[in-house]
Amino acid sequence: MGATMKDIAKRTGLGLATISSYLNGGNVREKNRIKIEEAIEELHFEVNEVARGLKTNRTKTIGIVIPELNNIFFAEIITEAEDILRSHGYATMICDCRSDAEREKEAVDFLYHRRVDGLIVMPTGSSASGFQKFVRSGKPIVMIDRKMKGVPCDCILVDNEGAAMDAVERLIQKGHRKIGMIAGPEDVYTARERQEGYQKAIQRNGIIFDESLVVRGNYTIAGGAAAMRRLREANPDMTAVFISNYEMTVGAMMEINDLGIRVPDELSVIGFDNIDFAKASVPRLSIVTQPTAQIARAAADTLIEKLTGKAPVPNDSQDDADGEPTTLTVTLKTGFVEGRSVRRFDV
Amino acid sequence: MGATMKDIAKRTGLGLATISSYLNGGNVREKNRIKIEEAIEELHFEVNEVARGLKTNRTKTIGIVIPELNNIFFAEIITEAEDILRSHGYATMICDCRSDAEREKEAVDFLYHRRVDGLIVMPTGSSASGFQKFVRSGKPIVMIDRKMKGVPCDCILVDNEGAAMDAVERLIQKGHRKIGMIAGPEDVYTARERQEGYQKAIQRNGIIFDESLVVRGNYTIAGGAAAMRRLREANPDMTAVFISNYEMTVGAMMEINDLGIRVPDELSVIGFDNIDFAKASVPRLSIVTQPTAQIARAAADTLIEKLTGKAPVPNDSQDDADGEPTTLTVTLKTGFVEGRSVRRFDV
DNA sequence: ATGAAAGCGCTAACAA
DNA sequence: TTGTTAGCGCTTTCAT
């Protein structure tokens, strides 16, 4: 077993408090500092963060709960967030809940037992109940990507509706009228928002909304492929399609290949999220992009702020005069990368 | 703050040991069991794993160190491993070291401070020095994907050489002779192995090895694109190319698109790793696949075995009669997914 | 600036 | 089976 502070104290003839003070950046006489450093070197001493965590009641660990690690969008965010958090001395415990609400609840419980100091969550389920214990403990939660009622916490979102609206209007401006959409699951926040954006763009431009042009996929590759097929069958005259997440974009492209449809001659496509995939496609895909690094930074910064700032946690506290709890919602703008997958009609 | 065992003891009138016994599956009188369960319910008691970890000197936490989380191959493995480990009660702390040896060392240190019980590492650097502290503490390490001299630990590998050889021989069998390879960095274990496989296939089939047909990329998308360009410039008559990892496959395909090269008519392609990308490409790519789930399971199982099995850890212990340390090396077979990116020459 | 001592919440002897 | 007690390695008053 490794050396402990006690060993250092014995070795240097100093008291425990002095060693502790040194380790935590306190003032120590030059002579003693050297002695301590020597002892640490010789005994290979390393602070035991577990003991420290028990004493201080802060583990310097953040729990992250996500639907799928195996998903570029989430992975990019996690990578960045982990990096930022670690640079602040925080470890991250990541739990992949496989887009399953039950497993999500288990993950939160698991992390609660581990006494993480805070949580970054991309909610899968829609029930707030699993978070109550955590909230009650006064520890901060930051939600990413999706909003959830009933959990007092900060949210880092993306302007999904605006993104979808923008994408569809680009199609309209190029002369498309029969525009299909591969939408996501009805119970997913982002999916609803994106669908809303589609409809607004359609209506705002005086196009009659045609229900058969919207097909729901389940945010997976297979789902995207199936949706694409159904969409094409129901609407052979459709000239463009907007696909509302990355996995479904991949699936739809697979299906388009299988059906031998030429893009953009026979069908224009706007996809979502993954710029590398977009560039590697033939022709290059036009896509909506999400600011993953910004999302990660906003989430990590917000959490660290809560953890180190003065405002303990917005329990039942009041924000200034109004009765609002002090929660923050950041909505980030999406981007658009132009490819060659959209045809222009000469009007 | 949450309730502690002491609170439960007071509430039930029982001793601490009884509560502890109950929590750890010991025998408790039925009557008391009920009392304890009631108290736990009412006080919202949750075991403090931090305290438990301090006492038992086992945190039930595994550290994972990887070059890039933001990489499908790694992400798939991590997802699976995390799942398995958590189902055994182990939390995972993931550290992404951005393919940087220095950061890798820091990550190992970081995890050591956190007193993780074991490590799963996909080594980036080639120096074993960063692991010595960990090894000395007697905690188990499992290395994945790449081997490293000087660290006594179990290894889960893939038959990289065989995979590359097989891929190249498929090209040869279809009549290709001028076969290019986009190889990986010289200092990466898997890259060397795959290149070796290429050369063996070439030589074994009586083809004269042409140095200019092997271009080194750096395992990134940009590197793959650059390598593809150089390869094509140096060898306009090359009929096929084997690309030795996923990122470079994407990059190469981007470049192929840019150059307007038709696959497989003008150039046959065999890529690596990501089956979804392969299927979504036009035409569908033929690729080598790695058994990510198997790798993850092997790694997780091996580690758990070490952690719970009787054999404490192969320190300076002897394996049977010979002087070998008891380390295990598993080498898994790769797969191959046939696409339409390889042309057959009528010989 | 330094030391002594208490205690964070738990487990594990040892006794009863 | 249950209770008592002594720590695990650290931080943190409170003295000095």
Side-chain angles (χ1 to χ4, degrees):
Chain A
M1 274 305 307
T4 72
M5 276 173 48
K6 232 188 208 159
D7 298 322
I8 304 295
K10 235 174 249 163
R11 176 81 157 211
T12 56
L14 296 166
L16 267 180
T18 310
I19 315 296
S20 176
S21 170
Y22 166 83
L23 290 172
N24 293 291
N27 283 330
V28 174
R29 225 192 298 276
E30 181 68 5
K31 202 189 293 182
N32 290 330
R33 210 206 67 214
I34 293 170
K35 271 209 276 190
I36 294 174
E37 281 168 0
E38 277 174 5
I40 287 178
E41 185 68 28
E42 287 172 37
L43 300 177
H44 300 296
F45 170 78
E46 307 273 347
V47 177
N48 184 329
E49 296 285 352
V50 177
R52 189 179 264 178
L54 174 61
K55 182 64 194 178
T56 61
N57 202 25
R58 291 187 294 113
T59 54
K60 297 216 90 179
T61 301
I62 303 298
I64 298 188
V65 182
I66 50 169
E68 302 280 348
L69 223 190
N70 185 2
N71 169 309
I72 298 240
F73 173 64
F74 295 133
E76 274 182 7
I77 293 177
I78 301 303
T79 305
E80 196 67 19
E82 190 264 327
D83 198 30
I84 298 172
L85 290 170
R86 183 143 47 96
S87 76
H88 286 262
Y90 285 88
T92 54
M93 283 187 180
I94 300 173
C95 292
D96 178 334
C97 65
R98 306 290 172 99
S99 299
D100 180 87
E102 192 54 43
R103 296 181 66 143
E104 176 176 86
K105 202 170 143 81
E106 284 168 23
V108 174
D109 259 26
F110 182 83
L111 293 167
Y112 181 69
H113 287 164
R114 297 305 185 124
R115 295 299 194 266
V116 295
D117 293 339
L119 229 43
I120 293 179
V121 185
M122 308 187 202
T124 279
S126 47
S127 159
S129 69
F131 295 95
Q132 295 315 333
K133 220 183 323 194
F134 209 91
V135 171
R136 205 183 314 125
S137 74
K139 291 177 174 171
I141 300 178
V142 173
M143 297 233 174
I144 283 186
D145 195 44
R146 304 174 191 179
K147 213 161 185 167
M148 182 181 268
K149 290 266 174 223
V151 182
C153 65
D154 297 335
C155 290
I156 313 296
L157 304 174
V158 148
D159 180 14
N160 287 290
E161 187 180 306
M165 197 159 74
D166 175 62
V168 175
E169 290 202 322
R170 281 168 191 267
L171 291 169
I172 294 172
Q173 271 156 28
K174 292 210 172 162
H176 293 271
R177 288 296 175 271
K178 295 280 273 186
I179 302 172
M181 171 175 189
I182 299 185
E186 205 158 13
D187 60 336
V188 173
Y189 175 80
T190 56
R192 287 196 303 272
E193 297 261 298
R194 289 169 196 170
Q195 193 175 341
E196 190 63 32
Y198 167 88
Q199 286 179 359
K200 279 201 180 159
I202 292 290
Q203 280 156 8
R204 183 190 276 201
N205 288 274
I207 300 175
I208 297 159
F209 174 65
D210 176 352
E211 210 178 335
S212 76
L213 278 168
V214 177
V215 171
R216 212 176 287 291
N218 58 354
Y219 267 6
T220 69
I221 293 177
M228 187 67 227
R229 178 178 293 270
R230 276 191 290 142
L231 202 50
R232 177 75 175 185
E233 271 169 10
N235 303 278
D237 56 344
M238 168 179 76
T239 64
V241 61
F242 167 57
I243 309 155
S244 64
N245 89 330
Y246 168 62
E247 277 70 25
M248 296 197 301
T249 301
V250 174
M253 292 311 292
M254 284 165 50
E255 191 64 25
I256 286 172
N257 292 345
D258 278 358
L259 296 175
I261 300 169
R262 280 171 300 126
V263 174
D265 302 343
E266 294 178 72
L267 184 66
S268 293
V269 175
I270 292 183
F272 225 93
D273 258 356
N274 186 337
I275 197 164
D276 292 326
F277 175 75
K279 282 193 185 157
S281 294
V282 195
R284 294 192 172 209
L285 240 44
S286 291
I287 52 163
V288 173
T289 58
Q290 297 192 71
T292 49
Q294 275 183 62
I295 295 173
R297 177 158 288 284
D301 286 352
T302 304
L303 202 52
I304 288 175
E305 167 69 29
K306 276 257 156 68
L307 252 19
T308 57
K310 46 247 94 180
V313 156
N315 230 350
D316 45 8
S317 64
Q318 307 272 117
D319 188 18
D320 295 325
D322 53 359
E324 287 296 285
T326 47
T327 63
L328 169 79
T329 297
V330 175
T331 303
L332 299 168
K333 282 264 160 277
T334 56
F336 192 88
V337 174
E338 192 91 44
R340 300 176 169 279
S341 61
V342 176
R343 170 182 172 189
R344 148 163 259 122
F345 284 101
D346 301 316
V347 197
Chain B
M1 275 305 306
T4 72
M5 276 173 47
K6 233 188 209 160
D7 298 323
I8 305 294
K10 233 173 252 166
R11 175 81 159 213
T12 56
L14 296 166
L16 267 179
T18 310
I19 315 296
S20 176
S21 170
Y22 166 82
L23 290 172
N24 293 290
N27 283 330
V28 174
R29 224 193 297 277
E30 181 70 4
K31 201 188 292 181
N32 291 332
R33 210 207 68 213
I34 294 170
K35 270 208 275 187
I36 293 174
E37 280 168 0
E38 277 174 4
I40 287 177
E41 184 69 28
E42 288 173 36
L43 300 177
H44 301 296
F45 169 79
E46 309 271 347
V47 176
N48 184 330
E49 295 285 353
V50 178
R52 187 179 265 177
L54 175 62
K55 180 65 192 176
T56 60
N57 202 25
R58 291 188 294 111
T59 54
K60 297 216 90 180
T61 302
I62 302 297
I64 297 187
V65 182
I66 50 168
E68 303 280 348
L69 222 190
N70 184 2
N71 169 309
I72 298 236
F73 173 64
F74 296 132
E76 273 181 10
I77 293 176
I78 301 302
T79 304
E80 196 69 18
E82 190 264 328
D83 197 31
I84 298 171
L85 290 170
R86 183 142 49 93
S87 76
H88 286 261
Y90 285 88
T92 54
M93 282 188 183
I94 301 174
C95 292
D96 178 335
C97 65
R98 305 291 172 98
S99 299
D100 180 86
E102 191 55 43
R103 295 182 68 144
E104 177 176 86
K105 201 169 144 75
E106 284 168 23
V108 174
D109 260 25
F110 182 84
L111 294 167
Y112 180 69
H113 287 164
R114 297 305 185 122
R115 296 298 193 267
V116 296
D117 293 340
L119 229 42
I120 293 179
V121 185
M122 309 187 202
T124 279
S126 47
S127 159
S129 69
F131 296 96
Q132 294 314 333
K133 220 181 323 191
F134 209 91
V135 171
R136 205 183 314 126
S137 74
K139 291 176 175 173
I141 301 178
V142 174
M143 296 232 175
I144 284 186
D145 195 42
R146 303 174 191 179
K147 213 161 184 167
M148 183 181 267
K149 290 266 173 224
V151 182
C153 65
D154 297 336
C155 289
I156 313 297
L157 304 174
V158 149
D159 181 14
N160 287 291
E161 187 180 306
M165 197 158 75
D166 175 62
V168 175
E169 290 202 321
R170 282 168 189 266
L171 291 170
I172 294 172
Q173 270 155 30
K174 293 212 172 161
H176 293 272
R177 288 296 173 270
K178 294 280 274 185
I179 301 172
M181 170 173 190
I182 299 186
E186 205 158 12
D187 59 335
V188 173
Y189 176 80
T190 55
R192 288 196 302 273
E193 297 261 298
R194 288 168 197 171
Q195 193 175 340
E196 191 64 32
Y198 167 88
Q199 287 179 359
K200 280 202 180 155
I202 292 291
Q203 280 156 8
R204 181 188 278 198
N205 288 273
I207 300 175
I208 297 160
F209 174 65
D210 176 353
E211 210 179 333
S212 77
L213 277 168
V214 177
V215 170
R216 212 176 286 292
N218 58 353
Y219 266 6
T220 68
I221 292 178
M228 187 66 228
R229 178 178 293 270
R230 276 191 290 143
L231 202 49
R232 178 74 174 183
E233 272 168 12
N235 303 277
D237 56 343
M238 168 179 77
T239 63
V241 60
F242 168 57
I243 309 155
S244 64
N245 89 329
Y246 168 63
E247 277 70 26
M248 295 197 302
T249 301
V250 174
M253 292 311 290
M254 283 166 50
E255 191 64 26
I256 286 172
N257 292 344
D258 278 359
L259 295 176
I261 300 169
R262 279 171 299 126
V263 174
D265 302 343
E266 293 177 73
L267 184 66
S268 293
V269 176
I270 292 184
F272 225 92
D273 258 354
N274 186 337
I275 197 165
D276 293 324
F277 175 75
K279 282 192 187 157
S281 295
V282 195
R284 293 192 175 211
L285 239 44
S286 291
I287 52 162
V288 173
T289 58
Q290 297 191 73
T292 50
Q294 276 183 61
I295 295 173
R297 178 158 287 286
D301 286 351
T302 305
L303 202 53
I304 288 174
E305 167 69 28
K306 275 256 155 68
L307 252 19
T308 57
K310 48 247 93 178
V313 156
N315 231 350
D316 46 9
S317 65
Q318 308 270 117
D319 188 20
D320 296 325
D322 53 0
E324 286 296 285
T326 45
T327 63
L328 169 80
T329 298
V330 175
T331 303
L332 299 169
K333 282 266 161 275
T334 57
F336 191 88
V337 174
E338 191 92 46
R340 301 174 169 279
S341 61
V342 177
R343 172 183 171 187
R344 148 163 259 122
F345 284 101
D346 301 315
V347 196

